[in-house]
Amino acid sequence: MRFMLLGMLAALPATAWADGEAVERGRWLARQWCSACHTIAAQAPGGRNDAAPAFPTIAARRGATAEGIATYLRLPHANMPDHGLTARQAQDLAAYILAQRPR
């Protein structure tokens, strides 16, 4: 039992690091592809499209999940260009968007 607990604790930093890496990759993608239209962070300049919701607003929506955001990003929808995101890119952007959740 003690070894199992130590093994679980040893895995935590790797998981936290992986999440941090996803957020950083998502930040890069957001700056490259999203910032022209969306406000990508609370302290970032606003996007040029008033109809495009700010990332902190998306993150604050009740029921917003990484899976839901990533799926939405990969589906075609009006008023947003199709960037041809891979599943990984969509997951990284979703991680970044959720990191913008107001605290």
Side-chain angles (χ1 to χ4, degrees):
M1 177 78 159
R2 185 178 331 156
F3 294 110
M4 189 169 91
L5 180 59
L6 289 174
M8 289 170 36
L9 289 174
L12 285 176
T15 302
W17 180 254
D19 290 345
E21 287 179 351
V23 170
E24 286 304 312
R25 288 189 305 267
R27 179 189 327 269
W28 186 88
L29 291 168
R31 286 181 179 157
Q32 298 300 311
W33 292 344
C34 309
S35 63
C37 297
H38 293 269
T39 299
I40 63 168
Q43 304 302 327
R48 291 177 280 193
N49 185 342
D50 292 336
F55 283 9
T57 302
I58 295 168
R61 290 180 180 160
R62 188 170 59 165
T65 65
E67 182 179 332
I69 292 169
T71 299
Y72 181 81
L73 290 171
R74 295 195 68 206
L75 295 175
H77 44 281
N79 301 323
M80 193 168 130
D82 180 6
H83 291 294
L85 297 174
T86 66
R88 174 75 172 261
Q89 289 169 326
Q91 291 164 354
D92 291 346
L93 270 171
Y96 177 70
I97 290 169
L98 289 177
Q100 305 313 304
R101 183 173 278 152
R103 297 174 190 234

